[in-house]
Amino acid sequence: MAHGHKIELKQEFFSGNKKATKFSLILIVLGLLLTIIGIATAPKTHPSNEGASSEEHHHVAADNNTPRLNYYGDHQVNHPLPPPIPEDAGAHKPWYSRVYANILTNSYFFVLVSCLALFFWALQYIANAGWTTVFKRVIESVVAFLPIASIILILILIIGKSDLYHWAHYEHEALKPGEPGYDKILSGKSWFLNSSFFIGGIIIIPLVWFLIGKKLSSLSVREDAEGGLTPFKKSIRWSAAFTVFFIFSISVLSWLVIMSVDAHWYSTIFSVYNFATGFVAALCAITLIVLYLKSIGHLNLVTDEHIHDLGKFIFAFSIFWGYIWISQFLLIWYAHIPEEVYYYQVRLMDQWKPYFYINIVINFVIPFFVLMTRDAKRNPKLLGWIAVILLFGHWIDVYLMVMPGTIGSLAQFGMLEIGMLLLFTGTFIYLTLLSLTKRALVPINHPYLEESAHHDVGV
Amino acid sequence: MNDKKLSLRNNKKVLFGIFEDGDSALEATQTVFNRGVNIIDCYSPYPIHGMEKAMGLKRSRLPIGAFVCAMTGLSLAIILQAGIMYFDWPMIIGGKPYAGIPSWIPVMFELSILCTAFGIAILFFARSGMIHGKIANEIIDPRQTSDRIVLAMSLDEAGINTDELVKLLSDKGAVEIRQRVNLDNNEFEDNVIK
Amino acid sequence: MSHNITTIRPRLVTKDKSLADVSNEICRPIENKPSTTWKIGFTLAVIFFGLLAFTLALTTLVGIGTWGLNKSVQWGWDITNFVWWIGIGHAGTLISAILLLFRQKWRMSINRSAEAMTIFAVLCAALFPLFHMGRVWVGAYWVFPLPNAFGSLWVNFNSPLLWDVFAVSTYFSVSLVFWYLGLIPDIATIRDRATTKGRKFWYNFFSMGWTGSTRTWNRYEVVSLILAGISTPLVLSVHTIVSFDFATSVVPGWHTTIFPPYFVAGAIFSGFGMVCTLLIIARKVLNYEDYITIGHLEAMAKVLMLTGTLVGLAYITEFFVAAYSGVEYEQYAFLNRATGPYWWAYWSMMTCNLVAPQFFWMKWARTTPWFIFFLSIVVNVGMWFERFVIIVTSLHREYLPSGWALYSPTWVEIGIYLGTFGMFFTFFFLFAKFLPVINMAEIKTILKDSE
C-alpha cells in the first residue's frame, strides 16, 4: 500500500458459478420438501383442544386450565392482578395460520434485508463515501430480491390478514360498543389499523422503494455505458430523496406489519428497532456475498481493507442493535406499565424464553466479543461465519416479534420453520447470484472507483 | 524489541537526514531500511502514513491493555452495585428486585469506559516515557515538530558506508544532513555535513 | 493514499499551504498580542460570567425559592438548560470520534474547537443540577457512592439520576483526556517555536516531552482510535441516560421508548448548530477561511438537515404513537403540547427544528455562511424549546386538576442562563488565545489531499 502505487482497474464479469447455483437449488428443493412434510405433519388441531376441529373453536373461548387473561377490553377488567398471564394469541386460530405466520416472518425478514441494502446504497451517495465502490454491484444485487420478497409479503398479508392479526379479525367482527367482546382500545385504533389503510400501505411503500431502486439501478447502467459525472450527480439526488422517504416509510411499514401484531401494545422506538435489525442483516448479507465472490477469485479490487471496514460496520451496528434493544427493554421493564410490559412478559414465558435469550446472545454478545479485535475483522472465514450466525440471529429476532402475537401457542420450531427458511434463503441466493451475472462486477466509470481501490484503513 | 539499543544515546555515531516533506522522507526511509541500515527513529510533525511499516515497526499491543482496563471497570461496577444494592443494604425501590440487573447496566457501561480511557492514556504515557514537565531531549531540529522530518540512523553497524548513505539521502531530497558523535559525559557533538 | 483521492472531491485545505504555513497561521493568535475583537469579546464574556457568579450566590444564600418553580413544575429552566447544554456538548466528541471512525476527513479542521466546546458546555450543564439540589455544599458529595453522611445507607443505583452522575462525569473526564491527548503534538509545536520564557516553560510542561517520534506516533494513532471507539458509544450513552431521567418515569409525554435515540439525534443536531455558530465567527475573525472552507460548512449544513429531519421523525412518531396507543393521558399530553397554554413553545420547536433545516436542500443555503449562521441560531433556539416543551408542558398538568400550575422563570433563573453563556465564552476566548483552534498535526496529513 505504498504511496502512489498504481492499481490496475480491470473490469470483471461473473458468469455464474455451477456449485453455488447447485447449492441454492438444493436449498430450495430441500426447503420445499421440508415445508411440505412440515405442513403435512403439522398438528391440525389446537394443542390445548385435542380432538376438536379448530373451525368450531374459532369463536369459542379456549377452556385452558391456566387462567389466561387480557388486560384490555371491558369484559376483563375485574381479573385479579398480578401475576396475570397474557392471553394466548393462538387460542382460537386455525392450524394453517402457522404457515401464514412463517411466510410473514420470512418475507418480512427478506424485505428488511433488501430494503436496507438499498438504504446502504443510497447512504454511500449522500455521505459521499468512496470505499464501497469496488463492491457496489454486490449491494445492488442484494436489492434484487426486494420485489419478490415484497410481493410475497403483500400476498400473505392480504390472504392471511384475519388469521394473523387480532385487529383484522376484530375489524371483521365489527362489534358495537356494549356488545360482548367489544374492545375499546382496538376500536379506537381503527383509524390506523383498518384493512384499506393496511393494504394500501403495504403495497405503496415497497412499490416506491422498488421504483427508486430501479431508478438508481438504471443510473448505474448508464454510468457503465456512458461514463461522465451526470449519472453520479443524479444518483446523489435520488439517494437523498430515497433516504428521506425511507426513514418515514420504514417506520410506517414496521408499525403496520409488525407492531400491529400485538395490537394493544405500542412502543415508539419500535421502528428504529426494526431498522437496526434489518441493517445488521443487510450488512451481513452484503459481506457474505463479497466474501463468497472473493473466495472464487472475483472482486480482485476488494482487499483486506474493505473486508475490515465491513467487519467494523457489522460490529458497530450490532452494538447499535444492542443499544436499541436495551433502550426498549429497560424503559418498559423500569416503568412497569401493564399495557407495555405485557409484550416482554409473553416473551419471557413458556416456549419463548429461550428465543428471548438466544436473540441477545447471538445478536449482541457474540459479535461484540468476537469482532472486537482487528484480526477478527480481517479474517474472512471468521467474519463469514459471524455473518451467517447474525443473519440467523436477526431472523430469530423477527420470528420472536411475529410469532407470540400472531399464533402464540400454535407456534413450534419444526420442519415447517426450517424448511421455509431454507426455501427463502435458497431463492435469495439464487436470485442474487443471477442478478450479479447480468452486470459487470466493477462499476468501471464510477468516479470513486480508484479511491476505493486504494482504500486503506490505516491503524 | 530492541528499542533500548536503538536510541539516540546508545549509539556512538548517529546520522540525521532532514527532509522538507513526508513523501520524500518516507521514500528515503524505505530505501535506507532495505539497505539494512539501523533506523533509530523518524521525527515528524504529523503521523506519516506508512512510515511505521517502512521502519519495520510492529503494531502496538496497547489494545490488549485497553481490553483489560475495560474488564476491570466492568468488574468494579458489578462489585460496587451488587455490594451496595444486594449485599450491604438491600432495599426494594420502586418494586424492583434487589438484583435489578437491567438498571445496573448504565453504570456498568460508564465505569468500563472510564477505566478504559484513563487506563489506555496512562499506559500510553508510560510506554512512551511521557511525563508532565519532561524536557524533550530528542529535539534534533526545533522545526521537527512544525515543518521538518528528521530521520535518525545509527552508523555503528551500518552495512553501508557513511558517504554512500549521505549521497543516498541527498538524492532522496534531504535538505540537511548532520552527524552526531556521542561523547562519554552525556554530551554530544553535531556536525553539519550538508 | 493521499494521491488517490478522487479529483471531483473539493480540496479540504485551499490555497496550497506548506507545512510551515500551517504552523505559522495557526500559531499566530497564540504568539501575537490579543486583537481588539478578542479583548472586547472577552470583557463582555467576563461580565456575564460575573452575572453567573452573582445569581448563583443569590440562589445559594437565599435558596431555590428565588426560582420560579412551583408545586407541579419542579423542573423548569434549570433542567431545560442542563439538557440543552449537555446536548451542545455532544458535537465535539461526535465530530472527533464518529467522524474519525467514518473517516470523514473534513472533521480535521473543526474537531479541536468542537471538543473544547464540548468540555465547556458540559461544565455549564453540570452547574444546573448541582445548584438545583439546593445545598451545593452537601450536594457535591451526596451524588457519589459513599454511605450517606458516612452512615449506612448508600446511593440508589436504581435511580436514573445517579446513572446521570456517572454518565456526565465520565463523559466530561473522557472528553478531557481525548482533547488533551489530541493537543499534545500541537503544544510541542508551540513549545519549539516559543520565544518567551513563560511560553517555553508552560508549553514544555504540558507537552510531556513530545518529540514526534514515529514510535510514539505509531502508538498514538492506536490510542486515538481506541479512544474514538469508546467515545462513540459514550456520546450515545450520555444523552441516552439523560433521556432515561424522563423516560423511566410514568409521566405522560416522558415515558416513551424512542427517547434514547431521539435525544441523541437532538443532541447531535444542537451540537452541530453550536459548532456552526462558533466556527462561522471564528473563521472570519481569525482568517481561517482556507482551513474551514465552504465545503466544511456545507458538510455541517447537511448534517444539520439530516439530524433535524431525524428529530422531526421522532416528533411525528411520538405524536402518532400517542394517538395510536389508546391511552387517554398520553393523547392529552400531546394535544396539550400543541394546543395548550404553551402552544407557542411547541410550534417554535417544530418550526425551528423540523422546518428550518429543510432550507438546506438548496445548494445556495448550504454554501452561504451568513445564512448557515442564521439557521444555526434558529436551531439552537429550537432545541432549547424542545427541552422546554418536554419538561414544562409535561409537568404543568398533573392527573388531578388541583395539580395544575403555570410556570414562568424569575430574573434569577434567566440570569443564571445568560451567565452560563458568559462562562462558556470566557473559557472559549481563553482557549482561542492559548491553544491552537485547529489541529495542526492532523491538518498537515491532508494538505495534499485531492490534488
Side-chain angles (χ1 to χ4, degrees), chain A residues 3-5 126-131 185 189 191-193 229 232 240-241 243-244 247-248 251 255 259-260 262-272 309 312-313 317 320 323-324 327-328 330-332 334-335 337 339-340 447-448 450-451 454-457 459, chain C residues 1-9 101-104 156 158-160 163 218 221-222 225 233 236-237 239-240 243-244 247-250 255-262 264 302 306 309-310 312-313 316-318 320-328 330 354 361:
Chain A
H3 268 235
H5 174 59
I126 60 167
N128 253 324
W131 67 278
I185 304 274
K189 292 186 183 196
W191 59 273
F192 183 72
L193 293 182
L229 281 181
F232 175 74
T243 311
V244 173
I247 58 173
F248 284 90
S251 303
W255 296 330
M259 196 162 89
S260 74
D262 293 274
H264 287 107
W265 181 77
Y266 58 90
S267 170
T268 39
I269 206 176
F270 197 74
S271 49
V272 187
D309 264 0
K312 273 188 196 168
F313 257 90
F317 277 92
F320 179 74
Y323 162 65
I324 298 297
S327 297
Q328 176 168 290
L330 180 71
L331 289 177
I332 289 176
Y334 197 104
I337 297 173
E339 285 92 328
E340 292 181 350
Y448 288 161
E450 178 155 12
E451 177 187 328
H454 286 87
H455 178 57
D456 185 351
V457 297
V459 284
Chain C
M1 188 156 87
S2 54
H3 295 286
N4 303 309
I5 302 297
T6 311
T7 41
I8 60 164
R9 290 189 192 274
L101 294 183
F102 281 139
R103 238 172 277 100
Q104 295 282 323
N156 173 16
N158 280 326
S159 163
W163 307 343
N218 192 23
E221 288 201 285
V222 171
L225 200 71
L236 300 193
S237 84
H239 232 55
T240 296
S243 81
F244 284 169
T248 49
S249 70
V250 288
H255 176 70
T256 165
T257 47
I258 207 173
F259 257 28
Y262 152 45
V264 171
K302 281 182 184 165
L306 177 74
T309 311
L310 284 181
L313 173 68
I316 293 165
T317 304
E318 267 190 331
F320 164 77
V321 174
Y324 171 86
S325 71
V327 180
E328 54 186 317
E330 286 285 334
L354 177 57
W361 284 101

Side-chain angles (χ1 to χ4, degrees), chain B:
Chain B
M1 291 247 304
N2 44 1
D3 270 0
K4 200 164 191 152
K5 194 182 136 228
L6 283 177
S7 78
L8 288 181
R9 292 268 158 204
N10 292 343
N11 288 274
K12 266 224 122 58
K13 275 183 176 174
V14 183
L15 192 73
F16 299 121
I18 302 179
F19 296 85
E20 262 185 332
D21 79 311
D23 289 351
S24 40
L26 182 63
E27 238 175 83
T29 314
Q30 279 164 342
T31 321
V32 168
F33 184 77
N34 290 338
R35 294 291 295 268
V37 176
N38 280 333
I39 297 171
I40 295 174
D41 214 329
C42 174
Y43 304 93
S44 57
Y46 63 92
I48 297 170
H49 190 74
M51 184 57 99
E52 69 288 348
K53 277 180 201 150
M55 278 173 59
L57 293 183
K58 287 201 182 105
R59 191 168 186 266
S60 163
R61 280 166 302 170
L62 284 172
I64 302 167
F67 183 72
V68 173
C69 294
M71 290 302 120
T72 312
L74 183 65
S75 323
L76 190 72
I78 293 171
I79 293 167
L80 186 75
Q81 297 186 86
I84 291 173
M85 303 295 286
Y86 190 79
F87 292 105
D88 189 53
W89 199 281
M91 262 201 296
I92 291 183
I93 300 153
K96 299 284 170 289
Y98 295 147
I101 310 285
S103 58
W104 295 357
I105 289 175
V107 174
M108 273 153 61
F109 174 79
E110 298 300 333
L111 281 187
S112 312
I113 299 284
L114 188 71
C115 288
T116 315
F118 276 84
I120 194 78
I122 292 167
L123 283 174
F124 167 68
F125 290 141
R127 183 71 185 81
S128 311
M130 291 167 77
I131 193 163
H132 278 294
K134 185 186 166 193
I135 306 291
N137 48 17
E138 290 176 12
I139 301 293
I140 294 104
D141 186 321
R143 289 171 77 177
Q144 79 185 41
T145 52
S146 167
D147 54 301
R148 288 285 185 273
I149 293 112
V150 179
L151 180 62
M153 293 146 287
S154 163
L155 287 178
D156 291 4
E157 294 166 33
I160 181 171
N161 75 41
T162 313
D163 294 341
E164 203 181 327
L165 194 55
V166 168
K167 189 173 174 304
L168 208 145
L169 289 174
S170 42
D171 283 353
K172 292 290 174 195
V175 289
E176 194 184 326
I177 297 168
R178 280 190 229 162
Q179 192 180 14
R180 171 175 292 187
V181 179
N182 277 316
L183 307 172
D184 290 338
N185 47 352
N186 264 350
E187 303 266 314
F188 55 80
E189 241 177 45
D190 275 11
N191 292 307
V192 178
I193 295 181
K194 185 200 153 192

Side-chain angles (χ1 to χ4, degrees), chain A residues 271-331:
Chain A
S271 49
V272 187
Y273 183 76
N274 274 258
F275 168 85
T277 282
F279 199 48
V280 178
L283 288 171
C284 288
I286 293 167
T287 309
L288 268 180
I289 298 165
V290 169
L291 289 175
Y292 167 70
L293 287 175
K294 198 129 181 68
S295 76
I296 56 165
H298 284 290
L299 289 180
N300 291 314
L301 291 175
V302 174
T303 61
D304 280 357
E305 312 291 326
H306 301 94
I307 308 289
H308 185 178
D309 264 0
L310 277 170
K312 273 188 196 168
F313 257 90
I314 292 175
F315 177 66
F317 277 92
S318 293
I319 296 175
F320 179 74
W321 179 89
Y323 162 65
I324 298 297
W325 186 90
I326 192 69
S327 297
Q328 176 168 290
F329 179 76
L330 180 71
L331 289 177

Side-chain angles (χ1 to χ4, degrees), chain C residues 194-256:
Chain C
T195 44
T196 65
K197 228 176 163 183
R199 219 182 293 147
K200 266 195 178 121
F201 175 79
W202 286 112
Y203 289 97
N204 184 55
F205 183 79
F206 286 111
S207 70
M208 299 185 88
W210 179 269
T211 56
S213 139
T214 300
R215 291 170 201 283
T216 318
W217 274 125
N218 192 23
R219 281 177 220 121
Y220 181 88
E221 288 201 285
V222 171
V223 170
S224 303
L225 200 71
I226 291 173
L227 281 178
I230 61 171
S231 298
T232 307
L234 179 64
V235 185
L236 300 193
S237 84
V238 178
H239 232 55
T240 296
I241 290 173
V242 170
S243 81
F244 284 169
D245 292 346
F246 304 99
T248 49
S249 70
V250 288
V251 176
W254 281 11
H255 176 70
T256 165

Side-chain angles (χ1 to χ4, degrees), chain A residues 72-95:
Chain A
Y72 324 97
D74 295 342
H75 55 299
Q76 279 171 342
V77 171
N78 295 325
H79 278 291
L81 297 164
I85 303 167
E87 191 184 58
D88 171 22
H92 324 302
K93 298 272 171 82
W95 68 272

